[in-house]
Amino acid sequence: FIGSEGTFGVATEATLRLTQLPPAVRTLLAEFVEVDDASQAVSAIIAAGVMPAALEMMDREIIRAIEASVFAAGLPPDAGAALLIELDGIEAGIDDQAELAKAICIQYGARSCRLARDENERKKLWAARKGAFGAVGRIAPDSMIQDAVVPRSQLPKVMRESYAIAAKYGLVLANVFHAGDGNLHPFICFDSRSPDEVRRVKEAGRELMETCVRAGGTITGEHGVGFDKRDYLPLIFSEADMDAMLRVRAAFDPSGLCNPGKIIPLLRGCGEARAVSHETESLKRHGATIEAQVKTSALATSLAVTPNRAPPSFRADTAARLLSQIVGEAHVTSANDNCPCLTVTPASTVEVCEVMKLAAGEHWVVEPAGAGTNLKSKTGGPAADLIVSTLLLNQFLDHEPADLIASTEAGVTLATLNARLSNNGQWLPLDPPGGSDATVGGVVATGLGGAQTFGYGPPRRHVIGMQVVLADGSIIKVGGRVVKNVAGYDLCKLFTGSNGTLGIIVELNFKLRPRPEREATAILSGNIESLLLAARQILETRLFPVALELLSPALAKTLNLPSPENHSVLLARFAGGNASVDFQTKQTRSIVQAVPNALELRLDLDDTQLWERIASRTGIPACHLHSIIMRPSQLERFLEDESQNAPLWQLGLADGRMRIFGNGLKFPRRRNIEGDTTTLPALTSRIKAQLDPQSVFFSC
């Protein structure tokens, strides 16, 4: 819904996640003779593992306009470009990061790089940057601003080409932009009283967009598509991609009432009224079957998606013969003794497409699988006819350290991916249930994060693009290869967590992070009340742990974390530079000493295996895993009411994530759910009906 530009409906209320303000900030201003040097410094800063809170660039034209305005802040008018770099975090270690950023700027040709002297100067520098848009009026009466994103490694090349395009059309180009994201904001300055200049501006604007797309970028990073850029959308998406977007749009707005004509390009040369009419009819065609499909499902009575049932006509021997013609006999096997279905393991995206075309034509029910740890067909309920495994889609495709981006096929395991990325000091910071042996496609399809979700975010935060094979065997691309992208609908978030019910994810583009210099875990044991008090103080002191987990006594013992007197265990993991981690662990020790009913504390300074055991559930007998998300403030109610009924439990105290292990457990229905949730299953069913109208993909 976010980024749908009013085409899905009207947002009337929002629930927001807040974050604590960092206690320390450092702001630097680097001056360069040439834009090219500043552009190369941007890529080098990111590649070195520095993660600025902001990294902004201003070129000569912008600097001169600012200094001639009320926003003047002492920027050097003779500089070719200036970088405004802001770092934030805890006090310990932040000066080391600032010195590294400064050294990189000097290495790449900065004639000076200095810290803001005080908070007043910092505010003046930011006022100058934020006032740049208004100051552009001093260059020309009018300007057209673009909003494109390119990979950071391509900034020097794209900047050179953008100035060449402006020169070609006899126009002045001024640049001020979010360099750390590769998000360009070139101002093409002109006089709208000149029809010829207006024509040249439009032609130059399109060439700029085409240049950014050729560099691997996108047409908008934050301002959206609207009417102005809808004709640029085919530069990055195919007709099949845009058709999938229209199908999702029809699930929200089957009558085409909301903002008709926006985002998706329409017929040209027929007038806006007829074009909007065309789009409305298109949406109605996409939405025509929704109500019938919903009415014939169990949704009408139970507001739940009806599980697929294996049709009696499925013949395993016939299916095996047909599938072998696509993937080879060795890659078609019986799934397991408890399930009469087959498992097929395609070795390429083309084979996945052919398998799905066959399955759709034969009316088979299909369940996608990665490592097979979350197969619904294994639970003893209704089974799929065909399990499509992605284990042979195991090629590592691309990695650009300067962009913090990696591309891989869906069958690559998380362990394999991170081992490959470690050569450049980078990683994909996910710890899903099942551990690092899970495939990246499976991790994204389930959408499940682990203990470090608090510090690094869930899988959906790291996915920036993917290729998906739909139920009819067609393939679509969603998202892209840049860290900011609001072109079209954010279908990455739709397929992430869809559990294989909407399509088979075959390729993924990830946003990475620099590998921390150091990681350490404070292990506290004591009674629950003391541990909860310690956890609250860790958060309120703004120590920023990447994980804060409370384990039941039984689970701690199972994971080889025994505690005295059968106490619970609190794990606080810290990551970052050496100075930062030292400070955080020392502060944790001080907190523990001040908590009543003295806690036992020890440090695990080589804690990788500890967190792998937690993610992979090492030692826990095979049982059902209940995953529940609630507000962190509600977790204490579970501890009061239910913890004794479920001896094996793990709580993410900072983000409200709960895991309970056991069979036959019953939990009372929550009485404090806020708002009306009855429309959510209906909407889910409508999206399913649009992307998989024949219910080819198994859902349970």
Side-chain angles (χ1 to χ4, degrees):
F1 204 94
I2 294 174
S4 63
E5 301 186 39
T7 61
F8 283 7
V10 181
T12 60
E13 185 176 312
T15 301
L16 307 178
R17 179 177 63 89
L18 305 181
T19 59
Q20 293 177 312
L21 289 172
V25 178
R26 299 290 186 271
T27 304
L28 300 94
L29 180 68
E31 305 170 9
F32 293 83
V33 176
E34 300 290 344
V35 168
D36 195 77
D37 295 336
S39 300
Q40 294 187 54
V42 169
S43 295
I45 288 170
I46 301 301
V50 180
M51 297 291 287
L55 180 51
E56 303 288 297
M57 185 187 293
M58 297 168 279
D59 73 359
R60 178 181 285 111
E61 293 289 345
I62 289 292
I63 291 172
R64 290 177 175 176
I66 290 172
E67 289 302 304
S69 74
V70 296
F71 302 110
L75 299 175
D78 62 333
L83 288 182
L84 188 59
I85 307 166
E86 185 150 290
L87 305 162
D88 62 18
I90 62 175
E91 190 72 39
I94 193 170
D95 287 326
D96 295 337
Q97 291 284 291
E99 283 299 317
L100 178 55
K102 178 180 178 179
I104 292 171
C105 289
I106 298 298
Q107 177 187 349
Y108 281 86
R111 65 189 190 186
S112 70
C113 184
R114 59 181 177 83
L115 278 170
R117 289 184 294 272
D118 51 32
E119 181 63 15
N120 183 57
E121 184 179 16
R122 174 180 172 268
K123 288 181 177 179
K124 285 186 67 176
L125 290 173
W126 278 111
R129 164 60 185 90
K130 293 175 182 179
F133 279 38
V136 170
R138 292 183 171 273
I139 302 174
D142 303 287
S143 63
M144 180 176 76
I145 181 174
Q146 289 289 5
D147 164 41
V149 186
V150 299
R152 284 169 289 224
S153 61
Q154 297 296 309
L155 272 175
K157 177 183 177 183
V158 171
M159 293 298 290
R160 288 192 295 268
E161 293 187 15
S162 65
Y163 288 115
I165 290 170
K168 171 184 173 182
Y169 288 97
L171 299 166
V172 174
L173 187 71
N175 270 294
V176 53
F177 60 93
H178 313 304
D181 297 326
N183 188 186
L184 303 177
H185 289 316
F187 285 88
I188 308 176
C189 304
F190 68 106
D191 187 338
S192 62
R193 293 169 294 185
S194 167
D196 182 61
E197 283 196 33
V198 171
R199 177 189 59 79
R200 284 184 279 136
V201 163
K202 291 180 179 179
E203 292 177 2
R206 183 173 183 87
E207 281 199 33
L208 276 171
M209 290 295 99
E210 292 170 345
T211 297
C212 293
V213 171
R214 281 197 303 271
T218 187
I219 61 173
T220 175
E222 56 190 13
H223 295 289
V225 176
F227 296 120
D228 183 56
K229 288 188 174 181
R230 65 186 178 190
D231 291 332
Y232 295 162
L233 209 62
L235 293 176
I236 53 176
F237 291 119
S238 69
E239 288 189 13
D241 303 337
M242 291 185 287
D243 180 73
M245 293 182 195
L246 280 175
R247 289 178 181 276
V248 174
R249 179 170 174 172
F252 284 87
D253 178 23
S255 299
L257 296 177
C258 296
N259 268 356
K262 276 200 171 182
I263 302 181
I264 310 296
L266 309 173
L267 290 177
R268 302 297 300 274
C270 56
E272 177 65 17
R274 196 189 305 176
V276 170
S277 174
H278 166 76
E279 183 195 38
T280 302
E281 290 305 313
S282 176
L283 286 172
K284 287 181 178 178
R285 286 197 300 274
H286 279 107
T289 60
I290 291 179
E291 297 303 326
Q293 290 169 337
V294 168
K295 288 178 181 177
T296 57
S297 73
L299 177 68
T301 55
S302 67
L303 289 175
V305 179
T306 302
N308 300 93
R309 298 288 176 179
S313 59
F314 179 73
R315 292 282 303 273
D317 54 347
T318 302
R321 177 176 53 81
L322 295 173
L323 291 166
S324 296
Q325 295 173 5
I326 299 173
V327 302
E329 188 175 344
H331 296 150
V332 181
T333 59
S334 296
N336 58 58
D337 295 336
N338 299 321
C339 179
C341 55
L342 296 176
T343 295
V344 59
T345 311
S348 69
T349 296
V350 172
E351 289 186 357
V352 176
C353 293
E354 293 303 314
V355 166
M356 288 310 305
K357 289 175 184 176
L358 174 63
E362 297 291 332
H363 305 289
W364 297 337
V365 177
V366 174
E367 181 173 1
T373 55
N374 288 288
L375 281 173
K376 295 180 283 292
S377 291
K378 297 194 304 184
T379 63
D385 300 322
L386 186 66
I387 294 171
V388 178
S389 170
T390 61
L391 284 177
L392 290 182
L393 300 179
N394 55 13
Q395 298 299 306
F396 182 87
L397 301 176
D398 185 37
H399 176 215
E400 178 49 67
D403 296 328
L404 280 173
I405 299 296
S407 300
T408 178
E409 290 186 325
V412 172
T413 66
L414 186 60
T416 300
L417 175 61
N418 277 331
R420 183 72 175 266
L421 298 174
S422 65
N423 296 332
N424 293 101
Q426 298 178 355
W427 68 318
L428 180 61
L430 299 177
D431 56 346
S436 57
D437 289 336
T439 64
V440 293
V443 173
V444 173
T446 60
L448 295 176
Q452 296 178 96
T453 296
F454 174 62
Y456 299 120
R460 69 180 182 181
R461 186 181 295 182
H462 303 278
V463 178
I464 58 173
M466 62 175 72
Q467 287 191 8
V468 182
V469 177
L470 299 181
D472 61 359
S474 61
I475 186 167
I476 62 169
K477 182 193 85 168
V478 300
R481 280 181 54 84
V482 287
V483 295
K484 289 176 74 173
N485 185 3
V486 294
Y489 302 131
D490 189 359
L491 299 191
C492 284
K493 287 186 173 62
L494 176 64
F495 287 103
T496 300
S498 63
N499 284 289
T501 60
L502 302 177
I504 300 178
I505 299 170
V506 290
E507 287 187 15
L508 287 152
N509 301 330
F510 289 109
K511 177 173 61 174
L512 309 176
R513 288 183 66 94
R515 188 80 207 187
E517 186 178 16
R518 183 177 164 202
E519 294 163 308
T521 299
I523 305 173
L524 290 68
S525 57
N527 61 55
I528 288 179
E529 292 75 15
S530 297
L531 292 176
L532 289 174
L533 178 58
R536 281 195 291 269
Q537 302 234 349
I538 288 172
L539 293 174
E540 290 171 3
T541 312
R542 291 188 288 179
L543 294 184
F544 303 107
V546 296
L548 192 63
E549 297 292 294
L550 182 65
L551 311 181
S552 69
L555 183 59
K557 183 177 181 181
T558 301
L559 294 171
N560 198 27
L561 288 169
S563 58
E565 301 180 17
N566 206 31
H567 281 161
S568 297
V569 170
L570 176 67
L571 304 174
R573 192 181 203 193
F574 302 102
N578 283 318
S580 169
V581 173
D582 277 341
F583 174 82
Q584 290 169 303
T585 53
K586 287 177 182 177
Q587 287 292 105
T588 301
R589 187 175 297 278
S590 298
I591 289 170
V592 169
Q593 291 173 349
V595 170
N597 303 320
L599 306 174
E600 179 186 347
L601 179 144
R602 60 190 187 277
L603 291 178
D604 188 341
L605 301 179
D606 186 14
D607 61 354
T608 302
Q609 291 185 355
L610 165 63
W611 291 97
E612 177 63 23
R613 291 203 309 274
I614 293 173
S616 60
R617 309 194 291 267
T618 301
I620 299 176
C623 60
H624 191 73
L625 169 62
H626 303 264
S627 295
I628 304 169
I629 302 289
M630 59 180 64
R631 294 178 183 175
S633 59
Q634 297 172 322
L635 290 176
E636 293 188 28
R637 185 178 304 176
F638 163 80
L639 291 170
E640 294 171 0
D641 299 340
E642 300 296 328
S643 60
Q644 299 305 313
N645 299 326
L648 295 173
W649 48 261
Q650 171 186 348
L651 307 183
L653 296 180
D655 55 6
R657 186 178 21 79
M658 180 189 304
R659 287 182 183 162
I660 307 169
F661 306 91
N663 296 320
L665 300 177
K666 295 183 179 180
F667 303 98
R669 183 181 297 274
R670 288 174 57 199
R671 300 189 186 94
N672 60 344
I673 295 177
E674 298 179 3
D676 178 13
T677 62
T678 57
T679 58
L680 185 58
L683 180 58
T684 301
S685 294
R686 282 153 57 141
I687 294 172
K688 167 75 169 174
Q690 282 293 344
L691 294 179
D692 182 16
Q694 302 304 318
S695 292
V696 174
F697 287 116
F698 181 75
S699 59
C700 181

